Amino acid sequence: MQETLIRNADHLLTMDDTRRELSGADVLIRDGQIAAIGTGLSTTGEIIEARGCVVTPGLVNTHHHLYQSLTRAVPGGQDALLFGWLQTLYPIWARFGPEEMFVSAQLGLAELALSGCTLSSDHLYLYPNGARLEDTIHAAAELGLRFHPTRGAMSIGESDGGLPPDRLVEREADILNDCIRVVDAFHDPAEGSMCRVGIAPCSPFSVSRELMRDAALLARDKGVMLHTHLAENDEDIAYSLEKFGCRPGQYAEDLGWTGADVWHAHCVKLDGQEIDLFAKTRTGVAHCPCSNCRLGSGIAPVRPMRDAGVKVGLGVDGSASNDAGNLVLEARQAMLLQRVARGADAMSAREALEIATRGGAEVLNRHDCGQIAVGKRGDVAIWDVSGIESAGSWDPAALLLAGPVSVRYLLVEGRQVVRDGRVATIDTQALVTRQTQLVQALMA
Ligand SMILES: [Zn+2]
């Protein structure tokens, strides 16, 4: 039996069914699961002193392209729109291989961990030079984060009128076979699972209609989730109307891409009917506010989505379209952006934090995560609010208004991934050194 006791937290934001908030509270985690919440709890195991801290559920990241961590702030892409940005970066990504995938995934996940994230999905849609999905799975396992990798894909290259160079696309039969391989090898549906695999063609404009449909059939056959990009910007809507003769929501519905086992990234341009469709079908959304700002895509209608009952989580998106990967700052950005569009009362700090925790867990169908309640997994972020960033705050639990941007401790399944503000499970210095070498080689 392994126990960790988080003791004397100034504030505990549980995000449980009644959104309970406690002062001076303890949380006991036993064998990866929350065993008790209260005061005066004791243990013979490890103790984390949380006086001066706010304790929240671990944050959940619902959209990322971890491999892009090696191509942040590439000069030619810094100020380009989505399609131009992609065309700048494709030739660089075409030179990646297994080691670049491992190192970039570990970097991106370490950055997320420091910003309070305990569960991340990833969308890897290119596999050059022998790269495989498991390069990222091994990176996450070593670091100790809960991981939902998705087997992405592109099949329409330049010679077929697509955007990516031909050498980055795959044959559709090969894509489906590899989806089967990685689901069979790595997907764990059990409660408390540390790895769940999804199926994720890159976007409606980078694969065929047939592959979209086949991917949905395969995912349902295997009982795994489906993920893609949808309705990201005006170009995206125009493309859908011109090529498919319908809006993205209709396209998704026709091909089996709505339902509680589906989540779409961005959805900046969903209209009222599409919002209703997503609410009715329990289709999830990964809201990526920094990426939407960075690429000038627009402001996603998160307020109307939430009001209609759509499941919304947060995503930092790829590290080349953000270019940061800090999830608590992403939550702050989500709050600010709704206020830009709809006024100061459009989203509170607590609601944005709820989207970042419980909301993301709901999108990923992780009903065992995203809240601090007895029986849920021991995924907890501990924020030190005794420092300069929180000084003067009358409500330190309103973390997104004034508070730290990195955690003091992070526990995943009860294990310390961040301890005293540093990653405890891997040698981050060695990782940064290796990353520098790889980036220099890519620049050469
Ligand atoms: Zn994306």
Side-chain angles (χ1 to χ4, degrees):
M1 189 174 74
Q2 186 156 18
E3 284 190 346
T4 301
L5 178 64
I6 301 164
R7 195 165 64 180
N8 291 324
D10 279 11
H11 303 271
L12 172 64
L13 292 173
T14 63
M15 297 296 168
D16 68 6
D17 291 346
T18 59
R19 310 299 188 270
R20 211 153 48 116
E21 297 188 13
L22 302 171
S23 298
D26 305 340
V27 179
L28 180 67
I29 301 170
R30 181 181 301 136
D31 295 332
Q33 215 169 6
I34 295 171
I37 299 167
T39 51
L41 302 180
S42 63
T43 181
T44 52
E46 189 172 44
I47 293 176
I48 296 175
E49 193 56 53
R51 198 181 296 280
C53 296
V54 171
V55 174
T56 70
L59 276 53
V60 177
N61 181 43
T62 59
H63 186 63
H64 209 322
H65 311 287
L66 288 165
Y67 76 91
Q68 296 177 3
S69 304
L70 293 184
T71 50
R72 300 206 237 217
V74 170
Q78 283 184 19
D79 305 317
L81 300 181
L82 176 63
F83 285 12
W85 170 85
L86 281 169
Q87 278 162 328
T88 303
L89 292 168
Y90 281 141
I92 304 172
W93 295 336
R95 295 168 60 199
F96 277 37
E99 193 180 4
E100 283 80 4
M101 293 304 179
F102 179 91
V103 169
S104 56
Q106 211 160 60
L107 276 172
L109 291 168
E111 185 180 16
L112 282 172
L114 289 167
S115 71
C117 174
T118 50
L119 162 60
S120 182
S121 66
D122 186 42
H123 188 187
L124 180 57
Y125 53 80
L126 42 86
Y127 296 85
N129 308 307
R132 299 196 297 177
L133 191 68
E134 51 265 49
D135 300 324
T136 64
I137 293 172
H138 296 147
E142 208 178 276
L143 184 65
L145 282 208
R146 217 179 282 285
F147 194 42
H148 284 209
T150 61
R151 206 303 180 183
M154 299 190 292
S155 62
I156 302 177
E158 267 171 337
S159 60
D160 292 319
L163 215 52
D166 288 348
R167 61 179 192 252
L168 279 182
V169 304
E170 300 171 89
R171 292 190 325 128
E172 297 198 340
D174 295 342
I175 291 167
L176 290 167
N177 283 331
D178 200 52
C179 286
I180 294 168
R181 181 186 72 82
V182 293
V183 168
D184 288 348
F186 301 106
H187 178 69
D188 175 8
E191 186 172 330
S193 168
M194 292 297 289
C195 182
R196 285 195 191 161
V197 179
I199 294 176
C202 184
S203 64
F205 57 81
S206 55
V207 301
S208 74
R209 211 182 163 85
E210 290 68 38
L211 185 71
M212 289 295 285
R213 185 184 298 115
D214 290 348
L217 292 171
L218 176 61
R220 303 234 153 88
D221 183 49
K222 293 282 182 190
V224 301
M225 291 190 74
L226 283 167
H227 181 50
T228 193
H229 295 97
L230 202 80
E232 181 165 353
N233 63 9
D234 288 328
E235 281 171 296
D236 207 340
I237 302 294
Y239 184 93
S240 184
L241 289 171
E242 189 197 320
K243 277 271 198 257
F244 311 131
C246 63
R247 290 187 50 90
Q250 176 83 58
Y251 187 75
E253 189 180 26
D254 288 351
L255 296 174
W257 277 76
T258 50
D261 54 353
V262 183
W263 86 107
H264 294 288
H266 301 302
C267 300
V268 173
K269 298 292 175 179
L270 287 195
D271 68 12
Q273 270 187 328
E274 289 168 318
I275 289 172
D276 289 344
L277 171 70
F278 276 38
K280 191 179 72 190
T281 55
R282 302 296 293 145
T283 307
V285 170
H287 172 45
C288 308
C290 287
S291 170
N292 298 158
C293 290
R294 159 76 167 78
L295 291 169
S297 302
I299 302 174
V302 173
R303 182 74 274 150
M305 286 181 195
R306 295 261 303 167
D307 291 345
V310 177
K311 296 188 289 179
V312 181
L314 281 189
V316 296
D317 203 2
S319 309
S321 69
N322 187 316
D323 292 40
N326 182 307
L327 193 51
V328 73
L329 285 177
E330 199 72 38
R332 176 175 162 89
Q333 188 78 5
M335 172 188 76
L336 295 176
L337 208 50
Q338 288 308 299
R339 292 174 177 220
V340 169
R342 297 166 196 277
D345 58 354
M347 186 170 290
S348 69
R350 279 172 171 77
E351 185 180 7
L353 193 66
E354 179 182 319
I355 293 172
T357 53
R358 189 184 168 109
E362 284 169 357
V363 166
L364 297 179
N365 287 336
R366 289 306 301 251
H367 302 291
D368 53 345
C369 299
Q371 48 181 301
I372 297 178
V374 172
K376 304 295 179 186
R377 308 316 302 180
D379 293 6
V380 178
I382 301 176
W383 311 86
D384 185 343
V385 293
S386 64
I388 295 287
E389 312 92 330
S390 303
S393 173
W394 290 34
D395 178 14
L399 275 179
L400 302 183
L401 287 172
V405 297
S406 63
V407 289
R408 181 150 174 220
Y409 291 93
L410 187 82
L411 282 77
V412 181
E413 194 71 2
R415 288 188 289 267
Q416 289 185 33
V417 174
V418 177
R419 183 184 303 135
D420 274 328
R422 291 171 179 272
V423 173
T425 46
I426 58 164
D427 179 351
T428 49
Q429 200 49 52
L431 182 65
V432 169
T433 303
R434 187 65 197 124
Q435 154 305 121
T436 307
Q437 292 162 347
L438 292 173
V439 170
Q440 279 169 352
L442 289 167
M443 284 176 174

